[in-house]
Amino acid sequence: MKNNKDRAWIEINLSSLKHNVEIIKKALPTKTKIMAVVKANATGHGSILVAKDLEHLGITDFAVASLDEAIELRENGIKGNILIFGFTSFENLEDVIKYDLMQTIIDYSYSEKIKKLDLSQKLKCHVKINTGMNRLGENHDNIENLTRIYENDKLDVRGTFSHFCVADSEKEEHVKFSKQQIENFDRCIEILQGKGFDLGKIHLQASYGLTNYPELEYDFVRMGIFLYGVDSSLGAYQKKRLDLKPILSLKARVASIKEISEGESVSYGRIYRAPSTRKVAAISIGYADGFPRSLVENDMYVKINGQTAKIIGSICMDQTMADVTDIENVSIGDEVVFIDAEDENFSALNIATKSDNIVTEFLSRLGARLPRIGFYDNEKDESI
């Protein structure tokens, strides 16, 4: 049997995931439920692993970006409701029906084209309303077009939603804009309900929408990054900070150890020259695994045997080098920690910031060849 910790891997603390779910539930209004956002491989955490455990915890609603992501969940036994946020081509909408999924109606034009299709049954869907983000959704003030969407007899509307664009900011202009989005959304909902339409489950907030606008009471809060216990970026604002725990750790192995002399170089481009005799470890992870090449320019460190080692030289596709001169008893096969869920100095936020990135992008880019390994802190968590 293959050793999943042979080269480089990700560990997911499912006890911490359970903790995060419990904390989030306490912050929700009484009638509001979690819609778990597991798109982009659960932001790099492993969509199947995470979704199965969330379903085990009683979560019944999920969201993804694409049809393929939704089908992957179904084929791996996820039974809950699955909403596809993004565009699905018209020729593939029959698969939405086949796999009992829900499609986002991204605007009036999309709805009208569906009206002309010969589908085997009504398409389960959520209607997206554009309240100011100007990405997807029919405009909130175009009530005539929205009315026609809800009148479309090819659609089985199960929900209606919109999306904040600056809910993670405390800037006065951004708070004002978010409040305007709320007003736009609520007014639109009121008009449509006044026309007698069943709008299904209503939702506007994602993670930061919950903490910064907790007074809102809709049917769902779409939870992504907070389920995983991290902030999206260094400057992201939370009015009411939740006691969440990061759940992801990233690790690899020492593959080789070499001693080099003063003046010798390491890796491509020879950007590192040894100031003296140094001991260099090649570590079995690289940019093809989603570890950014730019990190070498920003004093990036790893942990080996509880001690820190600085990354040196260009990060390669499959290997990263570190100066282990001062690490005692380092040997081939030793575990190297890049992200430690329990150590802020080795956090995903730290890596994302040093690579001039946001956490969600960095984590989403962690490669498919990294196995995701789930574990529990104790048997009590495992036997929920």
Side-chain angles (χ1 to χ4, degrees):
M1 182 177 179
K2 180 183 175 183
N3 178 6
N4 285 335
K5 296 184 178 182
D6 184 57
R7 177 186 169 270
W9 67 96
I10 288 169
E11 294 177 0
I12 301 297
N13 188 325
L14 298 173
S15 296
S16 292
L17 178 63
K18 177 177 181 281
H19 166 86
N20 293 342
V21 169
E22 291 172 347
I23 292 296
I24 291 166
K25 283 182 176 180
K26 289 178 182 177
L28 293 172
T30 305
K31 296 182 180 180
T32 303
K33 296 175 62 179
I34 293 173
M35 178 183 285
V37 180
V38 293
K39 62 181 179 174
N41 202 20
T43 315
H45 292 70
S47 59
I48 305 305
L49 172 66
V50 168
K52 283 185 175 181
D53 204 68
L54 289 174
E55 207 163 52
H56 189 51
L57 292 169
I59 290 178
T60 58
D61 297 273
F62 300 88
V64 295
S66 69
L67 175 62
D68 286 345
E69 289 180 339
I71 291 174
E72 183 181 28
L73 291 180
R74 278 285 183 257
E75 290 183 340
N76 281 275
I78 301 304
K79 297 179 175 61
N81 300 314
I82 303 174
L83 173 62
I84 300 169
F85 280 149
F87 175 83
T88 298
S89 61
F90 302 105
E91 59 265 31
N92 288 331
L93 287 176
E94 197 62 49
D95 280 339
V96 175
I97 296 170
K98 174 183 176 182
Y99 287 94
D100 191 24
L101 308 170
M102 294 183 288
Q103 172 62 41
T104 292
I105 303 303
I106 58 177
D107 57 25
Y108 168 67
S109 174
Y110 191 71
S111 170
E112 286 298 290
K113 289 179 180 177
I114 291 173
K115 187 184 289 185
K116 299 174 184 177
L117 299 177
D118 184 22
L119 297 175
S120 60
Q121 64 185 63
K122 287 187 175 184
L123 183 72
K124 291 181 183 178
C125 63
H126 284 218
V127 177
K128 181 74 176 284
I129 297 175
N130 174 31
T131 56
M133 191 167 190
N134 294 319
R135 186 176 61 175
L136 299 177
E138 185 59 39
N139 286 341
H140 66 93
D141 56 357
N142 201 332
I143 298 299
E144 183 178 350
N145 282 354
L146 282 165
T147 297
R148 290 174 179 170
I149 291 174
Y150 288 96
E151 289 175 340
N152 187 341
D153 61 9
K154 294 292 180 71
L155 303 180
D156 177 6
V157 177
R158 298 297 182 93
T160 301
F161 72 107
S162 189
H163 201 105
F164 281 125
C165 54
V166 281
D168 62 347
S169 173
E170 62 178 330
K171 290 183 179 179
E172 185 178 350
E173 63 175 299
H174 291 163
V175 172
K176 182 179 179 180
F177 191 88
S178 294
K179 288 182 177 179
Q180 184 62 58
Q181 283 194 274
I182 296 167
E183 184 179 326
N184 293 342
F185 186 63
D186 287 348
R187 184 176 60 248
C188 187
I189 294 299
E190 183 180 359
I191 292 172
L192 291 167
Q193 287 178 333
K195 288 177 174 287
F197 295 120
D198 181 358
L199 308 186
K201 301 295 186 181
I202 296 170
H203 46 113
L204 172 61
Q205 299 145 288
S207 294
Y208 288 96
L210 172 63
T211 53
N212 295 334
Y213 300 92
E215 70 278 5
L216 301 177
E217 295 188 24
Y218 300 114
D219 294 304
F220 287 127
V221 171
R222 302 183 301 268
M223 276 291 154
I225 195 69
F226 282 4
L227 281 175
Y228 313 127
V230 293
D231 276 315
S232 61
S233 64
L234 188 62
Y237 169 68
Q238 289 189 55
K239 182 193 298 182
K240 183 182 178 182
R241 182 163 291 275
L242 303 179
D243 179 28
L244 304 174
K245 296 180 179 180
I247 69 172
L248 180 148
S249 297
L250 175 64
K251 300 179 180 181
R253 297 281 183 196
V254 173
S256 172
I257 301 171
K258 288 181 169 48
E259 187 174 283
I260 62 173
S261 302
E262 178 181 349
E264 284 196 276
S265 60
V266 172
S267 194
Y268 290 115
R270 306 188 71 203
I271 64 172
Y272 172 83
R273 304 292 180 92
S276 59
T277 299
R278 311 304 292 170
K279 188 164 57 172
V280 178
I283 305 165
S284 54
I285 192 171
Y287 64 76
D289 301 293
F291 195 66
R293 293 181 70 244
S294 60
L295 285 171
V296 74
E297 302 167 2
N298 293 291
D299 292 330
M300 184 66 202
Y301 291 82
V302 296
K303 282 197 296 188
I304 306 174
N305 298 334
Q307 301 164 77
T308 59
K310 185 177 181 180
I311 292 176
I312 58 174
S314 297
I315 294 171
C316 306
M317 180 178 283
D318 313 301
Q319 305 289 335
T320 296
M321 276 58 68
D323 184 342
V324 295
T325 306
D326 299 324
I327 294 185
E328 299 176 2
N329 303 319
V330 62
S331 59
I332 293 172
D334 281 353
E335 184 177 280
V336 183
V337 180
F338 288 78
I339 299 174
D340 185 341
E342 298 182 0
D343 188 342
E344 289 185 1
N345 295 317
F346 290 86
S347 66
L349 178 60
N350 181 51
I351 293 178
T353 302
K354 286 191 173 186
S355 59
D356 193 26
N357 212 329
I358 60 172
V359 175
T360 45
E361 181 176 347
F362 163 63
L363 290 175
S364 296
R365 289 185 172 186
L366 292 175
R369 71 183 183 184
L370 294 169
R372 274 72 173 170
I373 302 168
F375 69 95
Y376 299 93
D377 288 335
N378 53 62
E379 291 182 4
K380 183 179 178 182
D381 288 334
E382 189 171 0
S383 57
I384 299 167

